[in-house]
Amino acid sequence: MPLPIILDCDPGHDDAIALVLALASPELALKAVTSSAGNQTPDKTLRNVLRMLTLLNRMDIPVAGGAVKPLMRDLIIADNVHGESGLDGPALPEPGFEPQNCTAVELMANVLRESDEPVTLVATGPQTNVALLLNSHPELHAKIARIVIMGGAMGLGNWTPAAEFNIFVDPEAAEIVFQSGIPIVMAGLDVTHRAQIIAEDIARFRAIGNPVATTVAELLDFFMEYHKTEKWGFQGAPLHDPCTIAWLLKPEIFTTVDRWVGVETQGKYTQGMTVVDYYFLTGNTPNTTLMVDINREAFVDLLAERLKVYA
């Protein structure tokens, strides 16, 4: 039986590619897509979900827009990374359908209630919607199998010296999620910076030749430009969000450890930092399966294999 999942995302180039990967994979049953504010403003991230599902001809999947700002802070967006639309680069179709007449939290709650088995939540943006779901529907916690997030880092941040973008946008929400008692799987910068797509990979995807593979290549053409800045020291562009879906499909290509993780919400220099108790210094029981390494070649092979599905 396919694994039921809900994808909460803020497209964003890498979110869009995570969606492409999920829908090319029969091992997964995507029950709903909800949008969070982060990579762009909430209206644009919602529109981008609808545009991508229209491109993928999956207008049957229910979509709902989420919170317009973090729980306790003003919204920060990453338009310097993802462009004015949030998905600059390719010519995407206009949305061919409308979102549900409900909030992201209501849609997620309905999917959980109606599911015969626990559902995996995959959250590739700030954790605002997920935190709101957990706080407003404690009776549904048992219907959540796990929460797989792209966010955080055990080492260096990418938005501040200590913090990764998704967690920095809404650290209070992330702390609620990590301390919820629900199993967490974390794809942080420690692994996603190893999941780099280089120019040869983009050429490989483009050569597949179908419209979706071509769109992914064009998304990556744009995404690469930001990551060419010398400060990063990258050979290519780290494909953060698809690591969450790839872990569900092929966990064997990742190296993981189980550790306790908390989120700093008030530090002068460390606000938004994911504090990982790597050496078991706190006495806290591990709450997170932490990805720390990836077989990059196998990751690229997986993406290429699934892009061929879109004939």
Side-chain angles (χ1 to χ4, degrees), residues 185-197:
V185 181
M186 172 177 151
L189 300 180
D190 310 282
V191 70
T192 67
H193 279 181
R194 298 171 186 264
Q196 289 184 39
I197 299 298

Side-chain angles (χ1 to χ4, degrees), residues 103-290:
T103 67
V105 170
E106 289 170 329
L107 178 56
M108 289 191 283
N110 288 339
V111 170
L112 293 174
R113 282 192 206 96
E114 294 170 5
S115 180
D116 294 330
E117 59 182 301
V119 177
T120 293
L121 302 185
V122 180
T124 60
Q127 299 296 308
T128 314
N129 293 334
V130 178
L132 289 169
L133 173 70
L134 296 178
N135 278 357
S136 59
H137 292 285
E139 77 282 3
L140 295 176
H141 286 201
K143 301 296 290 284
I144 302 171
R146 66 182 72 82
I147 304 171
V148 185
I149 73 167
M150 188 281 126
M154 188 167 60
L156 304 174
N158 67 349
W159 200 254
T160 73
E164 178 274 332
F165 175 77
N166 284 341
I167 306 299
F168 184 79
V169 170
D170 197 343
E172 286 81 11
E175 175 69 350
I176 288 168
V177 173
F178 277 103
Q179 308 313 324
S180 66
I182 296 168
I184 307 296
V185 181
M186 172 177 151
L189 300 180
D190 310 282
V191 70
T192 67
H193 279 181
R194 298 171 186 264
Q196 289 184 39
I197 299 298
I198 60 177
E200 289 83 356
D201 303 324
I202 299 175
R204 179 182 176 186
F205 299 159
R206 185 175 279 108
I208 292 169
N210 65 53
V212 174
T214 300
T215 297
V216 166
E218 291 173 351
L219 285 167
L220 289 168
D221 288 339
F222 184 92
F223 199 50
M224 283 279 279
E225 290 305 310
Y226 173 78
H227 295 97
K228 287 179 179 177
T229 308
E230 187 175 338
K231 67 181 179 183
W232 300 115
F234 293 154
Q235 288 184 296
L239 209 47
H240 307 283
D241 297 334
C243 287
T244 58
I245 302 298
W247 182 84
L248 291 173
L249 297 172
K250 290 189 177 294
E252 67 272 13
I253 73 174
F254 293 89
T255 303
T256 62
V257 296
D258 291 336
R259 296 294 188 271
W260 181 87
V261 179
V263 179
E264 177 56 65
T265 60
Q266 299 181 44
K268 179 178 178 181
Y269 301 112
T270 57
Q271 175 186 306
M273 179 181 182
T274 40
V275 179
V276 178
D277 184 12
Y278 192 83
Y279 294 113
F280 302 98
L281 301 175
T282 65
N284 293 327
T285 302
N287 59 2
T288 302
T289 296
L290 185 73

